[in-house]
């Protein structure tokens, strides 16, 4: 959906009002960010996420003209018309920063979005994930998506025995962000059904990095074979979506997998690839198994409090 002048004017006016009234970005809600006409577009977006393809791209938010302060509030406000923002890390950040912070993708302490590496297909810890492109890389970095429903059906046609393996529990790392009283991992199937509704998780670094954690058993040969078929099949299901500045990509995490290609960034730090990210919870969304609902509800550890850090440089300092 390409934003028209009326849409942009309404979003910009709401962002201007949020800045003028000094509304804490962490406190932005549907009520504090009114979109009288664009709200109907967002209702259609939610229907597409819940009952349609599970992916929507909104194109044309003029982020360069708006600047970070207004663009961040606009993104938070748009997201508030889909659901409630949840914490994306142990620091309670409601606005994430997808940027190459020089982290090692293979290091179990870090998550892939902090590097420039290609990512495996995965789901984030929420109902909907939103990405707003603020700046693009010098080359690469295309977003990749794949329908988990298509993946499941194709695998079922080839190897129902391996699909059955993926419908049993796997162990996923928490990357050191451990809720009170919980182990360093959580456990759930890759493919689940609940009240007739399907949901899927990624076979990604979250599973591989859990190996070696206390209490996590080594993979069985059947699990290794099932994961290999998953990776092979999901790649054949995937579509690339190049990001343009001002694009907002919205995904339903329980039916849509996502990844990205590796990228080369600009030498100039000020031009580096930068995406804002939202994790949104929709209490009126589809029924989910209890373990999925528990573990895909944001990241919370003792002492977590919600905050919004708009500048990626300050977000990196806060998380150091």
């Amino acid at each position: 959906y390409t934003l028209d002048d009326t849409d942009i004017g309404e979003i910009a006016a709401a962002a201007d009002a949020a800045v003028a009234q000094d509304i804490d970005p962490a406190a932005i809600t549907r009520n504090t960010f009114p979109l009288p006409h664009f709200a109907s577009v967002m209702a259609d977006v939610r229907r597409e996420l819940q009952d349609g393809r599970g992916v929507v791209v909104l194109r044309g938010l003029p982020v360069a003209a708006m600047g970070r302060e207004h663009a961040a509030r606009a993104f938070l406000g748009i997201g508030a018309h889909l659901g409630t923002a949840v914490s994306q890390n142990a620091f309670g950040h409601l606005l994430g920063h997808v940027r190459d912070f020089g982290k090692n993708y293979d290091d179990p302490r870090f998550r892939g979005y902090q590097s420039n590496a290609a990512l495996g297909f995965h789901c984030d810890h929420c109902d909907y994930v939103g990405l707003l492109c603020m700046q693009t890389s010098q080359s690469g970095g295309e977003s990749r998506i794949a329908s988990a429903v298509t993946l499941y059906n194709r695998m079922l046609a080839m190897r129902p025995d391996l699909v059955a393996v993926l419908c049993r529990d796997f162990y996923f790392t928490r990357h050191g962000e451990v809720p009170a009283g919980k182990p360093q991992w959580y456990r759930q199937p890759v493919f689940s059904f609940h009240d007739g509704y399907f949901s899927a998780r990624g076979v990604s670094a979250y599973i591989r990095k859990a190996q070696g954690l206390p209490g996590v058993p080594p993979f069985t040969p059947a699990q290794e074979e099932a994961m290999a078929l998953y990776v092979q099949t999901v790649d054949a299901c995937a579509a690339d979506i190049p990001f343009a500045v001002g694009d907002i990509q919205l995904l339903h995490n329980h039916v849509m997998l996502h990844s990205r290609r590796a990228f080369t960034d600009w030498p100039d730090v000020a031009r580096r690839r930068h995406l804002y990210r939202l994790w949104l919870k929709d209490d009126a969304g589809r029924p989910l198994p209890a373990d999925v609902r528990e573990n895909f509800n944001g990241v919370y550890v003792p002492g977590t409090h919600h905050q919004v850090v708009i500048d990626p440089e300050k977000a990196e300092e806060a998380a150091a």
Side-chain angles (χ1 to χ4, degrees), residues 4-290:
D4 62 24
D5 290 342
T6 301
D7 299 329
I8 292 170
E10 189 169 275
I11 294 166
D16 290 344
V19 172
Q21 296 168 25
D22 197 26
I23 296 173
D24 183 346
I28 288 177
T29 65
R30 182 191 298 252
N31 292 331
T32 62
F33 202 91
L35 297 170
H37 302 290
F38 192 67
S40 64
V41 174
M42 292 309 298
D44 283 340
V45 168
R46 183 180 178 278
R47 281 191 288 271
E48 186 66 45
L49 293 175
Q50 277 290 322
D51 304 318
R53 298 170 182 84
V55 56
V56 173
V57 175
L58 303 176
R59 184 150 283 169
L61 190 68
V63 295
M66 297 176 81
R68 285 178 177 174
E69 289 285 337
H70 288 68
R73 285 170 170 80
F75 189 36
L76 287 158
I78 290 170
H81 284 261
L82 287 177
T84 302
V86 296
S87 172
Q88 300 181 35
N89 54 30
F91 308 98
H93 290 171
L94 298 181
L95 184 70
H97 298 271
V98 179
R99 197 178 190 192
D100 179 13
F101 291 115
K103 306 301 184 184
N104 181 355
Y105 178 55
D106 295 322
D107 191 321
R109 296 173 300 169
F110 303 118
R111 282 148 59 184
Y113 71 87
Q114 299 170 306
S115 72
N116 68 343
L119 304 185
F121 282 92
H122 63 282
C123 307
D124 288 355
H125 288 255
C126 54
D127 294 322
Y128 311 132
V129 57
L131 295 168
L132 167 59
C133 183
M134 296 293 290
Q135 295 180 158
T136 57
S137 59
Q138 185 174 15
S139 63
E142 294 86 358
S143 174
R144 308 192 75 206
I145 62 169
S147 164
V149 179
T150 299
L151 169 66
Y152 176 89
N153 286 333
R154 289 187 182 182
M155 290 186 66
L156 192 65
M158 291 185 290
R159 291 291 302 273
D161 58 319
L162 296 183
V163 170
V165 172
L166 294 172
C167 289
R168 296 192 286 269
D169 279 344
F170 280 72
Y171 291 77
F172 297 74
T173 182
R174 297 185 190 271
H175 287 103
E177 298 168 323
V178 184
K182 298 291 184 179
Q184 297 178 52
W185 42 263
Y186 60 92
R187 186 174 61 196
Q188 63 188 54
V190 172
F191 296 134
S192 302
F193 290 88
H194 183 70
D195 289 349
Y197 285 83
F198 169 83
S199 62
R201 309 273 65 87
V203 170
S204 64
Y206 280 76
I207 290 178
R208 292 287 179 187
K209 290 180 181 180
Q211 290 289 290
L213 292 177
V216 176
F219 295 131
T220 66
Q223 287 178 322
E224 290 278 17
E225 188 178 7
M227 290 189 295
L229 181 63
Y230 177 110
V231 171
Q232 173 187 331
T233 309
V234 72
D235 198 61
C237 297
D240 282 22
I241 302 181
F243 265 124
V245 172
D247 282 359
I248 297 175
Q249 177 180 286
L250 298 159
L251 298 172
H252 184 180
N253 259 318
H254 305 302
V255 296
M256 188 63 63
L257 303 158
H258 66 282
S259 69
R260 67 133 194 263
R261 295 193 184 275
F263 64 89
T264 300
D265 229 334
W266 299 97
D268 182 358
V269 174
R271 296 184 66 186
R272 283 183 181 171
R273 183 182 191 268
H274 179 212
L275 311 177
Y276 281 141
R277 184 175 65 188
L278 288 179
W279 283 3
L280 300 169
K281 174 185 176 183
D282 184 353
D283 288 328
R286 66 170 47 205
L288 294 168

